């Protein structure tokens, strides 16, 4: 299952960073990243990700992801391997007993889930969007205490 999840994430990143119009092109891009699969498997993956084809300004059709805000096309893409190694956490800012954590697009809900399921005694809970997490701190908790607690769940935070 871990291989499939990695393959699906690689497929998302490839589709969001390149304009590919055929399954053959997608298979070659995945092969460059070390994923070897059949056209049938790719077709099932595309269906699971709800990938569609959309017209470009030039009139060609390319694969697009259903939630464009999470995987916006980038003009100078990194390799998929580089993108997959980048941490989801970006920054944290505090105001009173609140914290706002910024993440890479699409990472907020999974990081918030990890925070909530860690049952950190310093926190009341979280609310996540696509790239932002609101964290409610318990009264009297300092920024340093909150940061120390959160860094047990988000290791690249420090």
């Amino acid at each position: 299952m871990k291989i499939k999840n990695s393959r699906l994430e690689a497929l998302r990143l490839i589709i969001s960073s390149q304009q590919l119009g055929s399954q053959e092109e997608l298979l070659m891009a995945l092969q460059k990243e070390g994923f070897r699969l059949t056209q049938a498997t790719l077709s099932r993956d595309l269906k699971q990700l709800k990938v569609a084809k959309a017209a470009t300004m030039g009139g060609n059709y390319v694969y697009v992801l259903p939630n464009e805000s999470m995987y916006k096309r980038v003009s100078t893409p990194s390799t998929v391997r580089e993108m997959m190694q980048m941490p989801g956490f970006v920054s944290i800012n505090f105001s009173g007993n609140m914290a706002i954590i910024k993440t890479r697009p699409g990472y907020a809900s999974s990081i918030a889930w990890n925070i909530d399921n860690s049952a950190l005694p310093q926190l009341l809970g979280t609310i996540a969007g696509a790239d932002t997490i609101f964290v409610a701190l318990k009264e009297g908790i300092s920024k340093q205490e909150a940061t120390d607690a959160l860094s047990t769940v988000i290791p690249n935070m420090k």
Side-chain angles (χ1 to χ4, degrees):
M1 190 56 114
K2 190 174 185 179
I3 292 171
K4 181 178 180 181
N5 289 338
S6 294
R7 184 179 72 236
L8 291 175
E9 182 64 12
L11 188 55
R12 284 184 195 102
L13 293 168
I14 288 168
I15 291 170
S16 66
S17 64
Q18 300 175 42
Q19 290 193 1
L20 302 176
S22 72
Q23 288 191 4
E24 184 178 325
E25 290 173 319
L26 283 173
L27 283 170
M28 289 185 340
L30 284 164
Q31 189 170 359
K32 284 181 188 174
E33 298 300 330
F35 296 97
R36 304 206 189 305
L37 58 148
T38 65
Q39 182 275 328
T41 300
L42 175 61
S43 188
R44 284 189 295 272
D45 288 351
L46 292 172
K47 184 175 181 178
Q48 181 178 341
L49 295 174
K50 296 179 174 60
V51 172
K53 277 195 165 182
T56 65
M57 296 298 273
N60 299 323
Y61 284 86
V62 296
Y63 288 103
V64 293
L65 293 160
N67 184 350
E68 196 175 313
S69 66
M70 275 180 69
Y71 290 93
K72 289 185 176 159
R73 262 197 222 289
V74 291
S75 55
T76 55
S78 304
T79 68
V80 170
R81 200 167 310 286
E82 290 170 336
M83 287 189 276
M84 289 177 78
Q85 289 175 354
M86 291 169 58
F89 172 80
V90 174
S91 66
I92 186 167
N93 288 295
F94 293 91
S95 179
N97 69 331
M98 299 177 289
I100 298 295
I101 297 174
K102 297 300 278 179
T103 70
R104 288 179 46 218
Y107 280 75
S109 62
S110 62
I111 292 174
W113 186 89
N114 288 335
I115 292 168
D116 288 338
N117 284 293
S118 295
L120 300 172
Q122 300 86 344
L123 309 179
L124 294 173
T126 66
I127 300 172
D131 64 357
T132 305
I133 304 168
F134 168 82
V135 183
L137 309 176
K138 285 191 177 171
E139 207 156 321
I141 298 297
S142 71
K143 292 177 186 178
Q144 189 59 52
E145 289 172 304
T147 302
D148 290 344
L150 287 165
S151 68
T152 65
V153 179
I154 310 168
N156 57 331
M157 200 169 124
K158 285 192 169 187

